[in-house]
Amino acid sequence: MPNPTTDVLLVTATNVETRAVFQAFREATGRDPQPQALGDKTYHDLGVVNDTRVSLVQSEMGAASLGATLQTVQKGLEALKPGAVVMVGIAFGVNEAKQKMGDILVAKQLTLYEPGRVGATETLPRGTRADCSPRLLDRCRSAELYWDGPAVRFGLILSGEKLVDNLEFRQALLKHEPEAIGGEMEGAGLYVACQDARVDWILVKAICDWGDGHKADDKAKRQAEAARNAAQFVLHTLQKVGLKLERPAAPPSADAGETTIQMGGVQLEKDAQVTIGAGDMAGRDNIKIETHYHGADLSGFQNPTGLKSSFPSQPYFFGREKELASIAEAIAPEARTWGALIDGPGGIGKTALAIRAGHLAPAAHFARKIFLSAKIRQLTPAGEEKLEDFMLPNYLDLLKELAMELGEADIARSDPNERANAVRRALAGAHALIVIDNLETFGEGEQARVFQFLARLPEGNKALVTSRRRRPEVDARAIRLDRLEQADALALLAELAQNNKLLARASEAERQMLYELTHGNPLLLQWAAGQLGRGQCRTVAQACDFLKAAPLASENDPLEYIFGDLVETFTESETKVLAALTHFTQPAELTWIADMAGLPQPAAQTALEDLTDRSILISTNLQSSNSPREASNLRPSNLFFLPPLAALFLKRKRPEAVRQTGDRLTDQIFALALENGYEKYDRFPALEAAWPRLSAALPLFLQGENDRLQTLCDAFQKFLQFSGLWDEQLALSEQAEAKAEAAKDWRKAGWRAYDAGWVCNLRGQGAEVLRWAARAEGHWQTASSTGARERALAIHLRGIGHQLNKDYAAAIAAFRESLELTRTLQAESEDVTIDLTALAWAEHALGDYAAAERDYTEALRIARKVNYQEGVVSFTGNLAELANDRQQWPEAERLAREALPLAEKLGQQELVGVDCHRLALALLRQGNAAEALPHARRAVEIYTKLRYRELDEARQVLAECEAAVAGPA
């Protein structure tokens, strides 16, 4: 016999519903349901889903369906001992304007309606409400976040024996239960059975008609579709978040307490045969169910448990330890505040944090945990969805819902002017933790009333409020949320990957890319991950591209969801500072932003601070560096940062404001480059201080006019090289070459290729140097305005490539050819010294030290004569290198000491590093390890920063110095 226990028992009432469940589970498990006879009922083993064994039992529908369902479920509970019961099937809808055929209805509460005559006009009192299992409701809510099917609506479901197929009768029901989202005929029996056994229960049904007299129209098709939708959602919930709960404790024995059930005046003893018809019940007020355990009256639809909680469940949560600790302090009984206000950008995880903090709040402090949401929409992988079933549009509706959560239905119907005080009195002694989510959807006046109410919470009650806007005047602990820490974000992606095969295949680098793009925003991370497998998104890179282009690609636009309602609220000054910030990928200083926005600094600061309070910007008082490579000149600075996707969104929404600030930035940087660039080495610190603005402007120059871009490249060529910004120079040169080529500016295209080749020389990449040399030569051959100098430079660059590839004969031939061309232009010039020293390097590498010394010395002589300071520094250092190779240590020391201060004055980090290395080696070989040590350390530091090709040699010298200074072990 099959295992006579199950984890989740599904209950259906019709063959249509049963077949729909069978089909859904057959497709999921690959097996047919297995019938098993226990007692006088047949149960169907549906298999195991997500470590949960699921069974099904079918009740009866029609006359006495409440009693039939009650008996069926009671026997199922006794036979299979499930931890949860879910009724799956079809229902009638109540709002054709807002609902659709096939929409899924999940019961938050259940109430009985009068089974009277069709068309009855007598008053129908509001029925008593039964709360379904908070745990199962939370699981369904969590699963709905991942659901791509028909809309899922949570709320009050009507239940009764009278068939609702008359519009007048349906409207009469809704007059007294306006919050109802639908109705059916079997749920009350489910409730009674599960209440008696203390088993978690819930209804999941889908709309198959409107209860308006047209049930017979296309009945079979509509019922089959609705039943299929409900079954698929239950299966989805099992797969995504699970429905497995702890099995209930055994119910009290017959002599331990009394159980009576009264329906329409008919009292039923425990274990009695239950048969309830509609006959004499017409005209009665309602159906009343009373249950007694051990003398405690649990009348009506009340949940006989200890802690009452309407908090959603959380299948996972990562990080935020510091914030959770702060919230715990704020809601502690001794805290002198009503709780905490959690603010931050859209999608940053405010709701998740509040729910997590609520779940962690000690039950000893809070007998009730109440979750109220003013959220009107949500973002799913399929796009934005309205939350009509949960919307609390204003303060009075929030009080009404709070009253209902407290079990005070009369207060919910009370005079609005008296409602706040009535709810406050109901909270006295309630020890409730109240979460109010998404308060920013209320108007300013409504928000103020909420905070006034919270400031007067009776002792023992606390609250957590989430909002996008910071309110410093509120008497609560302020919790500001920023991006998830990288480790926590990656843990979130790992969790999502468990149910997403494409995300599971993503590399660590791809997940890091997603983290950087979303700036650690949990909602955007989940949305982007949810795109994998949808449409054309098969990789993380494609999901990232879709995220950036979503407004153009489809209506599924997460940026519009997060930022769209904010744009129209910006003042002119706010728009200007935001537009300025769109150009920065790193935090920007107030002075830069004000200059670009064309605003006085006080006005810019006010706008920036207001935007920060609304969680649009991130503001930090951090230590910022004035140098792109050095971290020694740190000073405090008020920095502002606009996350990249927010910047992308603003560029689309306010292109003119972005263009104006971009024009100001490029004008400022162009003037700065002309004033401080080229070979004005003493002014390079001004460019380093402006590096964040300079780097922000480069993309704008690349998008602009070619002539201006090429002038900027000429001005920055020496600065980028001397500052060690080789990657930046290579990228700029490559893109500027393409720009010049497109403009048929062959001369400048050749120079940009030459600049790129020189960077590759610094990197020791011989093949790349040869490639760029060929490109430069090709461009210059095409240009009509180039002559011998450009041809000589291309040949020289080719010689460097041969030397890096250790083809010294080819290198020497190229350098000599270039030297001859250069001397035809001028016998003694900077270009001549460059060719001479390159020739000497090749001779040096071949071991012809005499020839190398001759050419180095000649290059140094000419450099001094023509006042070529960079050459003087470089060639003096080259002679020191040659002396070291000859083991002429004192001479090497003398030359290196001469070159080092000149290199420091010049400011080129590469020359400083190599001269430190040469000096350290010369001192070490003379037995002066202690004096060599600081120079060796400095060389390694610079080489590491520049990723210099001689780093291993420098590390070896440093290790020898340290060992010599330390002495014998």
Side-chain angles (χ1 to χ4, degrees):
M1 176 182 293
N3 189 340
T5 62
T6 194
D7 295 308
V8 176
L9 176 62
L10 305 185
V11 180
T12 55
T14 68
N15 289 340
V16 171
E17 295 167 342
T18 301
R19 292 191 183 107
V21 173
F22 282 179
Q23 181 63 27
F25 279 79
R26 184 181 294 114
E27 293 174 356
T29 63
R31 65 188 289 272
D32 289 326
Q34 303 295 315
Q36 50 181 321
L38 296 174
D40 61 353
K41 297 295 295 182
T42 299
Y43 303 90
H44 304 273
D45 179 7
L46 302 180
V48 176
V49 178
N50 196 9
D51 194 34
T52 302
R53 180 162 292 281
V54 186
S55 297
L56 177 142
V57 63
Q58 181 175 326
S59 179
E60 297 179 24
M61 183 178 177
S65 60
L66 295 181
T69 303
L70 172 61
Q71 287 189 335
T72 298
V73 177
Q74 282 179 329
K75 292 179 179 180
L77 295 176
E78 182 178 352
L80 300 176
K81 300 177 178 59
V85 181
V86 182
M87 179 167 277
V88 190
I90 58 178
F92 66 85
V94 296
N95 192 329
E96 298 92 322
K98 293 184 177 181
Q99 297 174 328
K100 292 181 180 179
M101 201 73 71
D103 281 0
I104 297 161
L105 309 180
V106 179
K108 179 181 177 183
Q109 292 177 312
L110 189 72
T111 188
L112 290 175
Y113 61 80
E114 164 61 37
R117 296 183 302 274
V118 174
T121 57
E122 62 268 32
T123 299
L124 300 176
R126 187 185 184 95
T128 311
R129 296 185 174 190
D131 293 325
C132 75
S133 162
R135 296 193 294 179
L136 293 179
L137 179 62
D138 293 346
R139 303 287 176 89
C140 291
R141 280 173 167 165
S142 297
E144 191 266 341
L145 296 174
Y146 306 93
W147 173 250
D148 293 333
V152 181
R153 304 179 185 278
F154 298 81
L156 174 67
I157 291 182
L158 305 169
S159 185
E161 288 190 306
K162 183 65 182 179
L163 183 68
V164 178
D165 195 23
N166 177 282
L167 186 59
E168 183 182 2
F169 183 39
R170 192 193 79 179
Q171 290 174 341
L173 291 176
L174 292 177
K175 179 180 178 181
H176 299 283
E177 298 292 355
E179 299 170 20
I181 61 173
E184 51 81 74
M185 300 180 66
E186 304 84 31
L190 172 75
Y191 162 73
V192 174
C194 293
Q195 181 84 340
D196 188 26
R198 301 192 180 192
V199 175
D200 289 77
W201 63 278
I202 199 165
L203 271 68
V204 178
K205 299 205 169 186
I207 297 174
C208 70
D209 64 74
W210 302 112
D212 58 359
H214 299 286
K215 285 185 181 291
D217 299 347
D218 206 12
K219 176 180 178 180
K221 180 180 179 181
R222 287 185 288 101
Q223 289 189 347
E225 179 184 355
R228 180 173 62 252
N229 290 350
Q232 289 288 353
F233 182 73
V234 170
L235 175 63
H236 168 78
T237 303
L238 278 160
Q239 292 172 326
K240 280 293 182 183
V241 297
L243 290 173
K244 188 174 183 178
L245 303 176
E246 294 180 3
R247 297 182 187 279
S253 60
D255 58 357
E258 177 189 5
T259 300
T260 65
I261 300 174
Q262 294 182 358
M263 287 186 166
V266 180
Q267 178 169 311
L268 304 173
E269 298 299 332
K270 181 174 176 65
D271 298 327
Q273 179 75 22
V274 180
T275 304
I276 306 173
D280 294 333
M281 302 174 72
R284 294 188 181 274
D285 289 342
N286 64 351
I287 298 175
K288 183 178 181 183
I289 299 177
E290 296 180 349
T291 307
H292 301 266
Y293 282 101
H294 301 279
D297 184 8
L298 302 173
S299 300
F301 287 80
Q302 301 298 323
N303 187 351
T305 59
L307 171 68
K308 294 181 179 293
S309 173
S310 62
F311 271 41
S313 66
Q314 276 184 315
Y316 46 78
F317 184 87
F318 299 98
R320 307 296 197 194
E321 288 83 3
K322 180 180 178 181
E323 290 85 357
L324 286 169
S326 185
I327 293 173
E329 293 177 0
I331 62 175
E334 64 274 12
R336 296 184 177 182
T337 177
W338 55 255
L341 173 61
I342 305 170
D343 70 76
I348 205 66
K350 302 181 292 295
T351 303
L353 176 64
I355 293 171
R356 179 63 171 171
H359 282 305
L360 294 176
H365 297 166
F366 301 106
R368 291 178 178 269
K369 295 181 180 181
I370 300 170
F371 184 83
L372 304 172
S373 178
K375 196 171 187 177
I376 60 176
R377 57 200 176 106
Q378 68 179 7
L379 182 68
T380 72
E384 183 180 319
E385 292 181 352
K386 292 183 178 180
L387 294 175
E388 296 171 345
D389 297 328
F390 297 104
M391 182 175 62
L392 295 177
N394 54 48
Y395 171 64
L396 289 176
D397 278 320
L398 185 144
L399 288 179
K400 179 180 179 181
E401 186 67 18
L402 180 55
M404 295 301 299
E405 291 284 356
L406 292 169
E408 300 287 349
D410 290 339
I411 293 178
R413 295 191 295 270
S414 66
D415 182 346
N417 295 324
E418 301 294 331
R419 194 172 297 165
N421 278 330
V423 173
R424 187 171 57 82
R425 287 191 293 269
L427 283 168
H431 296 282
L433 175 62
I434 306 165
V435 169
I436 302 175
D437 188 37
N438 277 75
L439 188 62
E440 74 273 1
T441 60
F442 284 9
E444 285 291 327
E446 298 284 281
Q447 293 182 42
R449 295 181 73 183
V450 170
F451 288 122
Q452 290 171 6
F453 175 81
L454 294 177
R456 292 164 176 79
L457 280 179
E459 185 177 0
N461 298 280
K462 297 290 183 179
L464 301 175
V465 176
T466 75
S467 175
R468 290 191 181 188
R469 183 156 192 176
R470 180 183 298 174
R471 300 180 71 100
E473 75 278 8
V474 172
D475 181 22
R477 178 73 60 88
I479 307 294
R480 187 62 183 290
L481 282 195
D482 195 357
R483 65 193 292 177
L484 273 178
E485 294 293 333
Q486 179 175 320
D488 298 325
L490 294 178
L492 171 60
L493 291 176
E495 177 66 32
L496 296 174
Q498 292 187 21
N499 293 305
N500 189 319
K501 294 180 180 179
L502 295 176
L503 182 59
R505 297 173 191 167
S507 67
E508 183 177 347
E510 289 175 316
R511 297 186 190 192
Q512 175 68 25
M513 174 177 65
L514 184 57
Y515 173 72
E516 293 298 337
L517 175 63
T518 60
H519 197 64
N521 184 298
L523 180 61
L524 290 177
L525 282 169
Q526 294 180 71
W527 182 91
Q531 301 314 304
L532 295 176
R534 298 174 60 87
Q536 301 300 314
C537 289
R538 309 297 297 176
T539 67
V540 168
Q542 290 171 338
C544 289
D545 289 341
F546 183 63
L547 175 55
K548 290 184 285 188
L552 303 177
S554 72
E555 295 180 357
N556 186 6
D557 180 6
L559 303 187
E560 183 70 39
Y561 172 83
I562 291 177
F563 306 115
D565 59 344
L566 299 173
V567 174
E568 300 303 327
T569 69
F570 298 149
T571 66
E572 183 178 355
S573 294
E574 289 171 344
T575 299
K576 288 180 177 180
V577 297
L578 284 169
L581 280 167
T582 62
H583 303 292
F584 292 93
T585 58
Q586 298 295 325
E589 291 188 10
L590 169 64
T591 54
W592 312 339
I593 301 167
D595 287 346
M596 293 171 60
L599 293 172
Q601 284 194 26
Q605 183 159 8
T606 298
L608 290 165
E609 289 175 351
D610 286 347
L611 290 166
T612 301
D613 285 342
R614 288 152 68 189
S615 303
I616 299 165
L617 298 182
I618 298 168
S619 174
T620 50
N621 276 321
L622 296 178
Q623 296 286 355
S624 66
S625 171
N626 282 336
S627 168
R629 291 298 183 192
E630 294 292 334
S632 57
N633 266 335
L634 293 178
R635 59 186 175 84
S637 178
N638 199 23
L639 303 176
F640 296 89
F641 178 71
L642 183 64
L645 290 176
L648 177 65
F649 184 75
L650 198 70
K651 287 177 181 178
R652 292 174 178 153
K653 287 291 187 177
R654 294 292 183 266
E656 181 59 23
V658 172
R659 184 194 62 77
Q660 291 175 356
T661 55
D663 288 346
R664 289 194 187 96
L665 176 62
T666 53
D667 288 345
Q668 293 166 5
I669 294 303
F670 193 72
L672 193 69
L674 296 181
E675 182 181 357
N676 302 287
Y678 298 104
E679 296 182 4
K680 301 169 186 175
Y681 302 113
D682 58 327
R683 296 186 181 180
F684 283 2
L687 296 180
E688 288 197 338
W691 173 250
R693 288 187 295 157
L694 194 158
S695 61
L698 290 180
L700 300 177
F701 281 104
L702 288 165
Q703 296 166 15
E705 298 177 357
N706 176 65
D707 289 346
R708 205 178 197 205
L709 172 63
Q710 302 305 328
T711 301
L712 186 82
C713 290
D714 291 340
F716 280 159
Q717 194 268 339
K718 290 292 186 183
F719 161 68
L720 295 172
Q721 177 184 331
F722 275 46
S723 299
L725 295 165
W726 299 341
D727 290 343
E728 291 82 354
Q729 185 178 8
L730 181 60
L732 177 62
S733 298
E734 287 178 328
Q735 295 175 80
E737 183 218 21
K739 185 90 171 182
E741 195 173 13
K744 300 188 184 306
D745 185 355
W746 306 113
R747 183 171 179 276
K748 288 299 183 183
W751 276 108
R752 300 294 80 85
Y754 179 85
D755 291 343
W758 192 257
V759 174
C760 293
N761 163 44
L762 298 175
R763 292 283 187 226
Q765 299 168 325
E768 284 298 293
V769 172
L770 289 172
R771 183 174 72 85
W772 285 112
R775 289 189 67 82
E777 187 173 22
H779 291 317
W780 282 330
Q781 286 176 352
T782 305
S784 58
S785 59
T786 56
R789 183 168 188 261
E790 284 80 3
R791 293 199 303 274
L793 287 171
I795 295 168
H796 179 98
L797 191 59
R798 189 198 320 146
I800 290 174
H802 288 316
Q803 181 167 329
L804 290 172
N805 289 340
K806 298 184 179 180
D807 186 352
Y808 299 117
I812 289 172
F815 293 141
R816 284 176 176 166
E817 182 182 358
S818 175
L819 180 59
E820 288 176 7
L821 268 174
T822 303
R823 279 178 167 159
T824 64
L825 297 173
Q826 191 172 352
E828 294 183 345
S829 64
E830 288 184 13
D831 289 344
V832 169
T833 67
I834 292 170
D835 281 330
L836 280 169
T837 197
L839 178 59
W841 259 111
E843 294 163 342
H844 187 167
L846 276 175
D848 189 350
Y849 293 158
E853 183 179 10
R854 178 194 67 226
D855 291 331
Y856 281 143
T857 303
E858 178 64 6
L860 180 57
R861 181 191 68 80
I862 297 173
R864 286 172 173 159
K865 180 178 179 180
V866 300
N867 197 30
Y868 176 32
Q869 291 301 312
E870 181 185 348
V872 171
V873 177
S874 180
F875 308 152
T876 303
N878 291 341
L879 287 168
E881 179 88 6
L882 180 62
N884 271 333
D885 287 347
R886 285 175 157 180
Q887 299 185 6
Q888 296 173 351
W889 312 119
E891 178 65 6
E893 178 188 348
R894 181 187 69 80
L895 290 166
R897 287 188 185 278
E898 181 181 343
L900 181 56
L902 296 175
E904 290 173 330
K905 183 179 179 180
L906 196 62
Q908 185 173 356
Q909 291 296 300
E910 179 202 3
L911 293 179
V912 172
V914 295
D915 287 331
C916 281
H917 172 64
R918 290 159 178 163
L919 180 56
L921 179 61
L923 290 169
L924 178 64
R925 294 297 178 254
Q926 294 177 81
N928 296 330
E931 188 178 359
L933 183 58
H935 298 295
R937 284 175 175 162
R938 191 177 180 192
V940 169
E941 178 185 346
I942 293 173
Y943 282 11
T944 300
K945 189 180 301 182
L946 299 181
R947 299 192 294 276
Y948 194 60
R949 59 180 181 267
E950 307 296 342
L951 177 58
D952 289 342
E953 293 182 19
R955 284 174 172 165
Q956 182 178 347
V957 171
L958 175 59
E960 289 186 45
C961 289
E962 290 174 337
V965 170

